[in-house]
Amino acid sequence: MDSGTGEGSTSFTDDYETFISTTDVDLLKRAWRNEKAAPEILQYEAALVHRIKEQIELAEQNVEASEADGEDPLTMSLYQMDLDRTQFLLRSYLRVRLQKIEKYIFHILKTDESLNRLSDEEQTFAASCGDDLRAHLKETVLSKLPTDYNSELKQSAASEEDDMVPAPRLDSFVICKARQYISGLDFEPEYSHEITEMERDLLTFVCYKFIKKPLENGKIDLV
Amino acid sequence: MAGQSGSQLSLFTPDEVEFVAEDELVEIVPNLRMDSLNFICGDYGPFYPQIAIQVPLWLALALKKRGKCTIRPPQWMSIENLTQVLEGERESHAFQTLPFHYVEISRLLFDRARDDIPDVYMVRSLVEDIRDVRFHKVETNLENFTASAVTWKNMAAMEVNIIRAFSGRALQAFYRHENEQAVPDLDRTQDRQPQNLNDRPRVCRSFCCIPIFPLHHWIDKIVFISCLLDYCPTIVFLWRAYCLFVVPLQRNLRPR
């Protein structure tokens, strides 16, 4: 039976004990919370999701095998509960990402940085979703507008940038906790006058774009 | 206007907060013998009768439901500690140290493991008092928000979740107004509309509480109260004129 203690893809934690005792489910829970709280889509945790999927499949096989063997129903129901909990986390994580993709579909398709954060399947989904939405808009509205106004990205031909594309609001405020003491060097230089340091384990309401860099480095958790 | 569409994605429902809280460890005393459980989320066991062991809260509640264990209430849930915490909350402005998920843990234990908690009614009323005092502090602290980063020590998960949506939008509005960034015109019109909607109910209110053919002295009382509340003096004046001149005419014309 596969045990729960995963090696962890954590390259950012210095505490050795937390390093060896952080399970994959903890990592997935952290990724889920960050994804849910962040206004833009974050980097896809491919290795973590792959490991969790393997563990879930193994657990499902074990539950089926023990059901066939006629094992103690209590133990089986407990294993099933653990399986359900992990599946919920994984599904919710993927679902939140899909919702974000659908919401900011044109923005993601035209920004390479966002596109690189998606997994391969998500990129296929985004491409086909974008095509469908474009075709739908053309058929219902855009084809009936004058030529200068029938782009789904620009308000009119006179617009300099794509102003019909909603972008994620990076100036929205999020609640976060630092996992270690963060000095001014960890933040972007342009925001150094806004936020100079962050203590460990202190709840902070802060503008998302200030903490974007430490979040990517794994020094901050969103709550 | 602190309105922001699309904030729904970042909201956690209370059930999701409870889900996260159910991974906290509690101590149980099993009354059965069981081999170790190798879950995806960790390994627990083996279980021996009358030997205490630490397990996640969801596992403890599942075993308790099937009558296979008793749950030991955590250290912080004793009457002495809670009384001390309550006094501390009342005396100082800062929050006392409590577990991050104390609301969810205490609620789950009260619902499903009531018989394992000594003096459960006392403990329950203490926890509810603590929640009230803390939330009152949260509400008063909301008045001190500024556009920069706000820090809070020892706030609990459920309290954070309750004010998450509102405080996020309010802080964002503060930030935008303070920095006066170049906001596109599209945004500004969207922001203006909700403001007009907010003004309308205040005017309608003085109409709604007065029916079409009222008793005079009853209207006067309501009109007087409306004046005091400063809702809309012009409307009030018009209503008084209506009552004094139009209603008697209608009364005369109405068939008996």
Side-chain angles (χ1 to χ4, degrees):
Chain A
M1 179 74 176
D2 196 11
S3 83
T5 45
E7 326 79 64
S9 54
T10 57
S11 54
F12 44 76
T13 178
D14 300 327
D15 193 352
Y16 183 62
E17 282 179 2
T18 6
F19 179 72
I20 56 171
S21 66
T22 309
T23 62
D24 277 342
V25 172
D26 284 336
L27 291 173
L28 182 62
K29 205 179 351 165
R30 201 182 294 159
W32 170 68
R33 274 161 108 165
N34 285 352
E35 193 70 58
K36 227 176 182 309
E40 58 165 5
I41 197 160
L42 302 175
Q43 178 65 39
Y44 182 66
E45 304 270 355
L48 174 64
V49 169
H50 182 71
R51 285 199 311 269
I52 292 264
K53 272 193 194 160
E54 279 178 357
Q55 290 180 24
I56 288 181
E57 275 170 22
L58 206 60
E60 278 175 340
Q61 285 168 6
N62 282 337
V63 166
E64 279 172 22
S66 42
E67 201 173 329
D69 287 343
E71 258 204 40
D72 177 26
L74 168 68
T75 331
M76 262 177 40
S77 71
L78 294 178
Y79 275 111
Q80 186 64 45
M81 277 179 75
D82 170 62
L83 188 60
D84 288 339
R85 287 178 69 90
T86 319
Q87 275 179 330
F88 167 73
L89 272 180
L90 180 63
R91 284 174 185 155
S92 195
Y93 173 67
L94 295 173
R95 208 178 295 137
V96 165
R97 289 181 66 90
L98 285 180
Q99 277 176 341
K100 277 190 196 169
I101 291 176
E102 280 180 8
K103 197 168 162 200
Y104 301 118
I105 182 77
F106 289 132
H107 174 84
I108 288 178
L109 283 175
K110 69 180 186 131
T111 335
D112 280 334
E113 190 199 342
S114 308
L115 206 53
N116 289 337
R117 290 188 192 157
L118 306 184
S119 70
D120 294 330
E121 295 99 341
E122 284 171 350
Q123 282 178 359
T124 330
F125 169 75
S128 68
C129 189
D131 287 338
D132 288 341
L133 191 58
R134 210 170 284 131
H136 168 72
L137 286 174
K138 267 210 168 57
E139 198 183 309
T140 47
V141 176
L142 294 176
S143 55
K144 301 173 176 56
L145 295 177
T147 339
D148 280 346
Y149 295 91
N150 67 354
S151 156
E152 74 272 1
L153 299 175
K154 292 183 163 56
Q155 270 200 64
S156 69
S159 308
E160 286 165 5
E161 42 175 52
D162 295 336
D163 46 5
M164 283 297 286
V165 173
R169 302 303 299 260
L170 296 185
D171 60 350
S172 54
F173 273 68
V174 294
I175 309 173
C176 63
K177 253 191 202 177
R179 294 169 63 217
Q180 57 196 95
Y181 175 73
I182 301 182
S183 69
L185 296 170
D186 292 309
F187 298 103
E188 300 263 4
E190 56 202 85
Y191 302 130
S192 53
H193 65 280
E194 304 264 6
I195 181 162
T196 45
E197 59 169 10
M198 208 184 273
E199 273 179 40
R200 190 188 152 146
D201 277 348
L202 198 65
L203 268 175
T204 319
F205 288 66
V206 71
C207 198
Y208 173 77
K209 57 187 181 186
F210 299 163
I211 55 151
K212 195 171 149 181
K213 191 169 157 211
L215 180 67
E216 282 163 12
N217 296 338
K219 295 190 175 148
I220 284 187
D221 278 340
L222 299 183
V223 170
Chain B
M1 177 61 187
Q4 169 74 5
S5 66
S7 58
Q8 315 313 321
L9 270 185
S10 58
L11 294 182
F12 288 82
T13 65
D15 294 317
E16 284 166 346
V17 181
E18 197 179 73
F19 176 81
V20 176
E22 282 176 344
D23 280 326
E24 297 285 315
L25 293 175
V26 290
E27 203 171 46
I28 63 163
V29 179
N31 57 17
L32 82 167
R33 167 85 177 82
M34 203 159 62
D35 291 329
S36 19
L37 299 165
N38 301 107
F39 291 145
I40 304 177
C41 61
D43 301 323
Y44 304 102
F47 298 85
Y48 299 107
Q50 313 311 324
I51 306 282
I53 184 170
Q54 297 252 339
V55 293
L57 185 58
W58 63 269
L59 181 57
L61 293 171
L63 288 172
K64 172 77 188 173
K65 189 169 161 190
R66 291 159 176 80
K68 304 292 182 190
C69 74
T70 55
I71 303 185
R72 274 209 197 137
Q75 298 271 5
W76 58 268
M77 249 171 94
S78 65
I79 293 194
E80 300 85 36
N81 189 47
L82 287 177
T83 327
Q84 225 174 344
V85 165
L86 182 58
E87 275 175 26
E89 291 284 354
R90 284 185 175 143
E91 278 161 23
S92 98
H93 284 299
F95 291 119
Q96 301 300 302
T97 315
L98 274 174
F100 189 51
H101 292 286
Y102 82 94
V103 175
E104 300 89 89
I105 297 178
S106 57
R107 219 213 79 185
L108 283 169
L109 290 180
F110 291 144
D111 284 345
R112 307 198 205 164
R114 190 171 298 176
D115 45 345
D116 290 335
I117 306 175
D119 295 318
V120 61
Y121 294 109
M122 185 70 186
V123 172
R124 188 173 193 153
S125 78
L126 279 170
V127 170
E128 281 178 13
D129 287 340
I130 291 176
R131 276 177 73 175
D132 287 336
V133 172
R134 282 174 73 110
F135 201 70
H136 180 73
K137 271 192 217 171
V138 165
E139 285 171 337
T140 37
N141 279 344
L142 283 177
E143 294 167 15
N144 300 335
F145 267 17
T146 58
S148 54
V150 178
T151 56
W152 250 331
K153 211 168 154 91
N154 288 330
M155 199 150 106
M158 202 50 102
E159 291 152 3
V160 161
N161 199 44
I162 290 174
I163 64 162
R164 181 198 307 271
F166 167 73
S167 58
R169 293 202 300 267
L171 283 170
Q172 194 181 352
F174 281 140
Y175 180 74
R176 247 193 280 163
H177 291 314
E178 257 192 33
N179 289 329
E180 289 185 35
Q181 290 168 352
V183 178
D185 285 334
L186 198 65
D187 267 280
R188 230 175 239 140
T189 46
Q190 279 175 356
D191 284 342
R192 232 182 268 138
Q193 282 159 7
Q195 247 170 354
N196 291 334
L197 283 174
N198 262 340
D199 284 332
R200 255 187 257 139
R202 296 176 64 142
V203 171
C204 286
R205 195 118 168 237
S206 50
F207 283 105
C208 291
C209 56
I210 304 175
I212 302 295
F213 293 114
L215 296 171
H216 290 289
H217 62 281
W218 188 60
I219 290 185
D220 279 333
K221 278 188 196 158
I222 293 177
V223 160
F224 177 65
I225 293 170
S226 304
C227 277
L228 284 180
L229 294 173
D230 206 18
Y231 259 39
C232 195
T234 323
I235 304 294
V236 157
F237 169 76
L238 288 173
W239 265 114
R240 292 211 65 125
Y242 174 86
C243 301
L244 286 172
F245 299 112
V246 178
V247 173
L249 276 176
Q250 281 171 334
R251 270 231 175 115
N252 287 332
L253 293 173
R254 216 191 317 168
R256 294 268 168 198

